[in-house]
Amino acid sequence: MLAEMLSISEKHRAQVPQLDMPPRLLLGPGPSNAHPRVLQAMGMRQVGHLDPTFIQVMDEVQELLRYAWQTDNRFTLPISGTGSAAMETAVNNIVEPGDVVLVAVIGYFGERLVDMSTRYGADVRVVEKDWGEAFTLDELRAALAEHNPDVLMLVQAETSTGVLQPLEGIGDLCREFDCLLVVDCVTSLGGVPLFVDAWGIDVAYSCSQKCLSCPSGLGPITFSPRAMAKIQQRTTKPHSWYLDLNLLANYWLGETRAYHHTAPIAMNYALREGLRIVAEEGLEARWARHRENATFFWEGLADVGLVCFAPAEIRLPTLTTVRVPEGVDAKAVAGKLLHDYNIEIAGGFSKLAGKVWRVGIMGFNSRRENVLLLLEALRRVLG
Ligand SMILES: Cc1ncc(COP(=O)(O)O)c(C=O)c1O
C-alpha cells in the first residue's frame, strides 16, 4: 500500500517521563559504578569514527590497554561489544573447525567457553574441578598430555565462584605442549596481577564494566604473535564477519584505517579515561588497593557472622562469594539491600544458586567507605 493511504498507528506512542535512575551502589559482579571522570568523558562532543582526532583516541586506547595488559602485542584493541563479544572474538579467530580445544572449567564462565568453542566446530575436551577450586599445574600438565590440544582455554577470575586461577607456569606448559593459551580476564583486568607477556598468554580478553570503571560496551582483547601466526595460517575464514580480527585490524591498526563498523565513539572516550586513570594510579598500587579493600571486606564479614565460600589461598579480590547462612533467603536479602539501601549485590547461580551472594568491589568502587556501607547494611538486613 502507498504511504499516503496508510494511517500512523498511535499504539506504541508511549508517554514516558524523563529518565531518572536511582543512585545505586553497584557492588555485584558487574557492572560496577563508572568513575565520575569516565562519565564526564562520555559527554565530550562527538566526532566521526574516521576523524583523525578519533583515530588518535583509538591509538591512545590501544597503547593504554597494552599497559593494563602488560604486553607489547600489536594486536591489542577493544571489541565493540561486552565481555562475551571479546570472548567470542577469541574463539572466532583462534578456533578452526576440528581444532582440539581443551577447556579447564572451574565455574560457569568456563562452561560458556565450552559452549562457544563447540558452536565454532572445535573438538572440545573438558577437564573440570568442583566449583570453589582451581587447577594445579600438575593437573593441567596431565590434561595437556592426555588431550594434546591446539588450544587451552581457562578463566583467570571465575565470577561464578569467586576463585582466582593461578596463571604462573601455565604459559610455559602450553609452549611445552605446543598449544595456545586463551585466558578470560573479564573480572581481573585492572584489579589483580596480570602479566600477559611474561606469563605467556596468547589471547586475553576482558570487559569495560568491572575493574576499568566504565559502563559495559567494550571488550578489550590482545593477541600474541603466536596467536597471530595461527590466525594467518587459517585455511577457513572466521565464521563471524563482525568479529574477524583481520578485518578489525584494518580499522584499528596500520596506515589506511579502513571502515569496518561504526565504532561506539562515546564508549571509546570512556575507556580511554578509565585506562588513563589506571595509568595514573599505576598497576602495582591498583592491584594493592583491590587486595586491601577485599581483605578489609573479608575481615568485616566475620564480624557480621558471615563466611567466604572460596578458600583464602585462591580467593579472588575483585569478586567475593559469601556463603548464605542456613535458613536465610538469599534473594530476599539482596532485594532488601537494593530496596532499602540502594546497594546492589548478586546471588549465586547454577550450582551455587541460593548458596552464595556475589559481591564485587572493583575499580572506582574499591574503597573502604563502600565496604563499610555494605557491611553495615548487611548487618541491619540480617538482623
Ligand atoms: C568471567 C566472565 N567471563 C565473561 C563474562 C561475560 O561478559 P559480559 O557480561 O560483559 O558479556 C563475564 C560477565 O560477567 C564474566 O564474569
Side-chain angles (χ1 to χ4, degrees), residues 26-30 32 317-320 344-346 358-362 365:
L26 301 176
L27 298 182
S32 56
T318 49
L319 186 286
T320 302
E344 179 182 280
I345 66 167
R358 294 181 302 139
V359 176
I361 305 176
M362 300 186 272
N365 280 354

Side-chain angles (χ1 to χ4, degrees), residues 82-84 87 109 112 155 157 159 184 186-187 209-210:
T82 65
S84 304
M87 183 190 264
F109 289 100
R112 188 177 288 188
V155 177
T159 325
D184 178 316
V186 169
T187 308
Q209 75 268 20
K210 299 199 189 198

